[in-house]
Amino acid sequence: MEIFKFFYFINLLSAFILTSSLEIDPYSQALLSLKSELIDYDNSLHDWVVASSGSSYACSWSGIKCNKDSIVTSIDLSMKKLGGILSGNQLSVFTNVTDFNISYNFFSGNLPPEIFNLTSLKSLDISRNNFSGQFPKGIPKLKNLVVLDAFSNSFSGQLPAEFSELEYLKILNLAGSYFRGTIPSEYGSFRSLEFLHLAGNSLSGSIPPELGNLKTVTHMEIGYNFYQGIIPPQLGNLSQLRYLDIAGANLSGPIPKEFSNLTSLQSLFLFRNQLTGSIPSDFSNIKPLTNLDLSDNFLSGSIPESFSELKSLRLLSLMYNDMSGTVPDGIAELRSLETLLIWNNHFSGLLPKSLGKNSKLKWVDVSTNKFNGSIPEDICLGGVLVKLIMFSNKFTGSLFSISNCSSLVRLRLEDNSFSGEVPLKFSYLPDITYVDLSWNKFVGGIPLDISQATQLEYFNVSYNNQLGGIIPTLIWSLPKLQNFSASSCGILGILPSFDSCKSISTIDLGRNNLSGTIPKSVSKCQALVTIELPDNNMTGQIPDELASIPILEIVDLSNNKFNGPIPEKFGSSLSLHLLNVSFNNISGSIPNAKTFKLMSNSAFVGNSELCGAPLRPCFERVGIFGSKGTWKLTHILLLSIGLLIILLVLAFGILHFRKGFKSQWKMVSFVGLPQFTANDVLTSFNVVATEHTHIPSPSTVVTKAVLPTGITVLVKKIEWENRSINGVSEFIMRLGNARHKNLIRLLGFCHNQQQVYLLYDYLPNGNLAEKIGMKWDWAAKFRTVVGIARGLCFLHHECYPAIPHGDLKSSNIVFDENMEPQLAEFGFKQVLQLSNGASPTKTMQETEYNEVMTEELSNDVYNFGKMILEILTGGKLTNAAANIHSNSQEVLLREVYNGNEATSVGSMQEIKLVIEVAMLCTKSRSSDRPFMEDVYNLLTNKFANV
């Protein structure tokens, strides 16, 4: 019995000990509760589990730190790919936590006010998430807070004025959200603040002059907002300020002369505003100044001579202003200067003779000015010059000073008057990727050692008419070369073998003195898209191997001495847009394929032995004499009689119908596309040939027609006034010559004095409006978004002058046979305006900052942003463009994630990027929206410098 009692006691004791050991401490319990709310994409919190023994679990978990008493003092869950909405219910237990960091995650929803129960906090970092709504009240409870970082979220509403009550706050980062309204004047009363970052919000109003009271601030970024008015002169009182960025903020007026009092300032960024006047000469007082960027404003005057006193200056960027005068010689004495960007101004005269002698220049861009003289002889003396960009000036002389500039990566000297031989020693330029020497006066040929430039991607020496020489033998072997242009250079010899062809996509050697044949080894150039060899003396047949290149789009062999037939393989090409063999000795028949039916007869004329559409039909050859001579003579006689009858009928018609139908209609086809007659077009959709034909409303006249060549076209009909014909025709010609893979092709137009028919490619795969409501994968959606952006970027930035789309919407995006999106009806709005007699919009070439054109381009950007949201939401959130700038971005984000079945972190990040682009595009103020080129670069992650 005693033994039994002993074992009973032992069991009770064991059970008590085991029960005690399984009790969970409050920290672990709270953290496990927190974990249950989270979405853990990478299982980062896998070790947050209850162990079989021990009473303090939390202190051993990832991201958790404790003091010697096992009290949690730090929670760091940054960069763990966590998501979800925080309730904050678990936070009250962590009263000793001094550091709370959940940055670089995917948290959304409102920030819980319970976070302010962490009363010992010194650092709160919630940056790079997707918290939204208004920032909760109550932050003054964190009396010891030193760091508050909420960068890159989606907060909205007013900036909380109560932040200024935080006595010890040194870092306040509220950038990259959607806070609106003005900066509270209370923000001028921080006692300890050193770092203030409010950039990239939707703030408006004037910048409060009270910010000039922040005597302890060393770093201030408040740009990329929508302010009104001037820069407060009071900011010149910030005696400790070392970094000031108010770029992209819609500010006007002059640069305050009081800024010369910022004697601790190292970096000043005021670019992309509307600042006027000249640069204060007293800036020379800012001795520590290292980075000065005043670009993209309306500044005038010259570069102050006193800048020679800024001995610490590394970056000087004054590009895109209205400045003039010469560059002071003192600029060349700045020993720290690395980057000089003064392009697109009105500077003139010589560059300082000693530029580069006293400093290690890395990037010099003086393009689009009125400079003359030669390149400073010591510009590359520092040995680190990477980019030298001097195009569109009046420079002369040789390139001797840069012949051995081994650090060069990018060299652009086009559109000047440089002369002499090209002295570049490519064997000493190991990193060169881009060389443009076109439109100069070089002689002596292309350097033969160019084949040693293994990083070269782009080379252009076109329009150096006396250059001469031959094409270097190994040019095609360059592993990264994509574009080789040397047209109008007087080059002799033959095309080198393509045996080692690597990556070349564009070859332009037109208007030279080349002879010989196209080597059959051209088939090795599988990346070739364009080959232009017009106006040479080349002979032989067009090789079948050329026709076998899979992505070839443009082939121009015109004005040579090629003979033989056109290779049949061209007829099966899915990519070929233009084959120009005009004025050669080509014979036989043109391949019977849709590709050739879409080309103009101008691409084939001048070949007497060539026949087939779009030229004359091919008949069996018979002699005037011989077994079939009688047949031939009979047909000639019948043809003559028929021609006489036609002439009589035509004369009768002209005599009796003063405004007869056939005397009024004209047809214009574009180069490389079908040469139709007006009658071909009109009869294909049964137009009644009278001057009294009823003309319906232009907006409803869209029809499909099959032309005599067998191709199907889309026809749009509009009215025009007689006085507007010339202006409209000229603009339509611009639209027809705008060719891009993401633009529907305008094939031509047919018109008389009252109406015009526009002929477009007919694409049978429907439009975006029809597709939006259907289920399609994220990859296809993203490809569509990028394709639309690419097409708009071409219209806005590669057409001169720019062409606004004018009516960008989902029904005007159509798909080709490869489901590549193409923009339809681009420029059609302006066609209608011009056809009604409206004055043509001044182009950006004629007036640099034309408000009307800028607004139309900005409207395209806005409509593109709306279209992105329409694609992402399947058309469900029709007002998403407005909602995302209020408090519903997290709803939109969740909706898009779910609707696109985004489960991987990669796709979610990609979707978030696209939504952020949409938010930029749909900013309410047009001046705050990005350019389409920037939008495309964001989507494709291409941030190429000039």
Side-chain angles (χ1 to χ4, degrees), residues 215-246:
K215 303 296 185 182
T216 57
V217 166
T218 61
H219 186 113
M220 180 183 289
E221 292 183 65
I222 56 175
Y224 300 100
N225 283 294
F226 315 133
Y227 305 122
Q228 291 85 43
I230 64 172
I231 301 174
Q234 290 83 352
L235 296 186
N237 297 328
L238 300 175
S239 57
Q240 301 300 312
L241 196 63
R242 296 197 292 266
Y243 188 104
L244 177 59
D245 186 343
I246 324 179

Side-chain angles (χ1 to χ4, degrees), residues 832-908:
L832 291 178
Q833 291 173 345
L834 293 172
S835 66
N836 292 326
S839 298
T841 302
K842 290 183 179 180
T843 66
M844 289 166 61
Q845 280 186 336
E846 295 167 346
T847 305
E848 188 172 0
Y849 289 100
N850 182 275
E851 293 180 1
V852 175
M853 176 64 75
T854 301
E855 190 67 23
E856 289 177 351
L857 297 176
S858 182
N859 287 340
D860 280 355
V861 174
Y862 182 84
N863 289 331
F864 174 68
K866 286 176 58 180
M867 191 178 297
I868 288 179
L869 298 171
E870 195 176 0
I871 292 170
L872 293 182
T873 64
K876 295 177 183 178
L877 298 180
T878 56
N879 200 30
N883 292 338
I884 61 172
H885 292 288
S886 57
N887 60 353
S888 61
Q889 189 196 351
E890 78 286 352
V891 176
L892 173 63
L893 202 57
R894 286 199 300 272
E895 180 85 15
V896 173
Y897 285 160
N898 295 333
N900 292 278
E901 299 180 356
T903 54
S904 70
V905 173
S907 62
M908 293 179 71

Side-chain angles (χ1 to χ4, degrees), residues 716 731 735 760 804-808 812 825-836 838 841 852 855-856 859-860 863:
K716 292 181 68 68
F731 186 70
L735 299 183
Y760 294 90
H805 186 286
D807 190 22
L808 190 65
N812 283 337
E825 302 220 1
F826 61 90
F828 192 67
K829 174 183 175 182
Q830 194 165 346
V831 171
L832 291 178
Q833 291 173 345
L834 293 172
S835 66
N836 292 326
T841 302
V852 175
E855 190 67 23
E856 289 177 351
N859 287 340
D860 280 355
N863 289 331

Side-chain angles (χ1 to χ4, degrees), residues 365-611:
D365 190 339
V366 299
S367 58
T368 322
N369 280 288
K370 300 174 184 177
F371 289 113
N372 55 39
S374 58
I375 300 175
E377 61 181 18
D378 295 321
I379 197 164
C380 195
L381 188 63
V384 291
L385 186 64
V386 172
K387 297 181 182 181
L388 179 59
I389 303 172
M390 310 177 75
F391 64 84
S392 296
N393 279 285
K394 300 177 182 179
F395 288 112
T396 57
S398 72
L399 305 186
F400 179 77
S401 58
I402 59 171
S403 60
N404 294 320
C405 193
S406 60
S407 56
L408 272 179
V409 171
R410 197 171 183 89
L411 178 64
R412 295 191 62 182
L413 306 179
E414 68 266 29
D415 191 18
N416 281 287
S417 295
F418 289 112
S419 58
E421 294 188 359
V422 178
L424 299 178
K425 298 179 180 178
F426 286 97
S427 56
Y428 297 149
L429 300 174
D431 300 317
I432 195 77
T433 63
Y434 192 108
V435 176
D436 195 335
L437 308 177
S438 60
W439 294 97
N440 279 286
K441 300 176 181 179
F442 291 114
V443 297
I446 299 169
L448 297 181
D449 70 341
I450 191 173
S451 57
Q452 298 184 44
T454 56
Q455 303 301 310
L456 190 62
E457 299 174 4
Y458 181 99
F459 183 78
N460 190 352
V461 289
S462 296
Y463 299 98
N464 285 278
N465 296 324
Q466 304 300 317
L467 182 66
I470 63 172
I471 302 171
T473 305
L474 300 177
I475 186 66
W476 316 126
S477 66
L478 286 173
K480 296 185 178 181
L481 185 64
Q482 297 176 25
N483 187 305
F484 181 80
S485 298
S487 60
S488 299
C489 287
I491 294 175
L492 300 167
I494 63 173
L495 283 178
S497 170
F498 293 94
D499 281 330
S500 300
C501 191
K502 301 292 185 181
S503 57
I504 192 75
S505 64
T506 297
I507 297 174
D508 184 359
L509 290 165
R511 296 165 294 282
N512 283 294
N513 296 310
L514 295 173
S515 56
T517 63
I518 299 176
K520 293 185 177 181
S521 56
V522 72
S523 61
K524 302 289 183 64
C525 301
Q526 292 293 290
L528 191 62
V529 174
T530 299
I531 180 168
E532 298 189 56
L533 303 171
D535 299 286
N536 281 286
N537 295 305
M538 301 190 69
T539 57
Q541 295 190 6
I542 303 172
D544 287 341
E545 288 78 5
L546 180 62
S548 68
I549 296 174
I551 59 174
L552 197 61
E553 294 183 2
I554 296 175
V555 180
D556 190 347
L557 309 177
S558 59
N559 287 287
N560 279 282
K561 298 175 183 177
F562 290 109
N563 54 47
I566 296 174
E568 286 289 338
K569 286 185 179 179
F570 275 127
S572 59
S573 173
L574 298 177
S575 59
L576 190 66
H577 291 167
L578 174 65
L579 173 65
N580 190 344
V581 295
S582 59
F583 300 101
N584 279 282
N585 298 314
I586 305 297
S587 58
S589 61
I590 299 171
N592 184 22
K594 179 182 178 181
T595 302
F596 292 96
K597 292 178 181 178
L598 291 174
M599 296 183 192
S600 168
N601 65 356
S602 62
F604 304 100
V605 297
N607 295 282
S608 58
E609 300 297 318
L610 186 64
C611 60

Side-chain angles (χ1 to χ4, degrees), residues 111-364:
L111 183 70
E114 288 82 0
I115 205 165
F116 303 138
N117 292 330
L118 305 175
T119 51
S120 297
L121 272 187
K122 292 184 178 180
S123 176
L124 174 60
D125 190 347
I126 58 173
S127 62
R128 293 176 175 84
N129 281 286
N130 196 35
F131 289 113
S132 59
Q134 296 190 359
F135 199 94
K137 294 183 178 180
I139 200 168
K141 293 166 64 177
L142 305 181
K143 297 183 181 298
N144 300 310
L145 197 64
V146 175
V147 176
L148 173 58
D149 192 346
F151 175 75
S152 188
N153 278 280
S154 299
F155 291 113
S156 57
Q158 303 283 324
L159 287 172
E162 62 180 5
F163 284 166
S164 61
E165 300 177 29
L166 296 171
E167 183 177 355
Y168 302 106
L169 192 67
K170 292 184 177 181
I171 296 176
L172 176 60
N173 191 345
L174 302 175
S177 278
Y178 300 95
F179 289 111
R180 57 181 183 269
T182 59
I183 299 175
S185 59
E186 290 86 346
Y187 279 23
S189 61
F190 283 105
R191 299 182 183 181
S192 306
L193 197 66
E194 298 175 0
F195 182 100
L196 177 63
H197 195 354
L198 306 176
N201 281 287
S202 300
L203 301 175
S204 57
S206 59
I207 297 175
E210 288 83 358
L211 293 184
N213 298 327
L214 298 174
K215 303 296 185 182
T216 57
V217 166
T218 61
H219 186 113
M220 180 183 289
E221 292 183 65
I222 56 175
Y224 300 100
N225 283 294
F226 315 133
Y227 305 122
Q228 291 85 43
I230 64 172
I231 301 174
Q234 290 83 352
L235 296 186
N237 297 328
L238 300 175
S239 57
Q240 301 300 312
L241 196 63
R242 296 197 292 266
Y243 188 104
L244 177 59
D245 186 343
I246 324 179
N250 196 43
L251 295 167
S252 56
I255 300 173
K257 64 180 186 301
E258 289 81 359
F259 274 16
S260 60
N261 297 327
L262 301 175
T263 54
S264 297
L265 195 64
Q266 297 174 2
S267 296
L268 176 60
F269 299 104
L270 300 177
F271 59 87
R272 205 169 179 180
N273 280 291
Q274 301 175 44
L275 302 176
T276 55
S278 58
I279 302 172
S281 59
D282 288 344
F283 266 29
S284 57
N285 295 337
I286 314 175
K287 303 302 182 184
L289 194 61
T290 303
N291 301 298
L292 178 61
D293 193 340
L294 308 178
S295 61
D296 204 356
N297 279 288
F298 298 102
L299 298 175
S300 55
S302 59
I303 300 174
E305 293 280 351
S306 60
F307 270 24
S308 60
E309 300 175 31
L310 298 175
K311 302 300 184 181
S312 299
L313 199 63
R314 288 203 301 260
L315 164 68
L316 177 60
S317 179
L318 306 174
M319 62 187 187
Y320 259 109
N321 277 290
D322 292 321
M323 300 184 68
S324 56
T326 60
V327 177
D329 289 338
I331 295 296
E333 305 300 320
L334 301 177
R335 295 186 176 277
S336 299
L337 191 64
E338 297 176 352
T339 303
L340 177 64
L341 307 177
I342 57 175
W343 53 282
N344 209 351
N345 277 284
H346 308 289
F347 293 116
S348 57
L350 305 176
L351 290 177
K353 185 177 180 180
S354 58
L355 187 65
K357 183 176 181 179
N358 303 299
S359 61
K360 292 186 178 295
L361 287 175
K362 293 182 178 178
W363 186 355
V364 175

Side-chain angles (χ1 to χ4, degrees), residues 71-90:
I71 296 174
V72 176
T73 57
S74 173
I75 300 175
D76 185 356
L77 304 181
S78 60
M79 294 186 288
K80 292 189 180 295
K81 298 181 180 178
L82 303 172
I85 298 176
L86 299 179
S87 69
N89 296 331
Q90 311 86 357

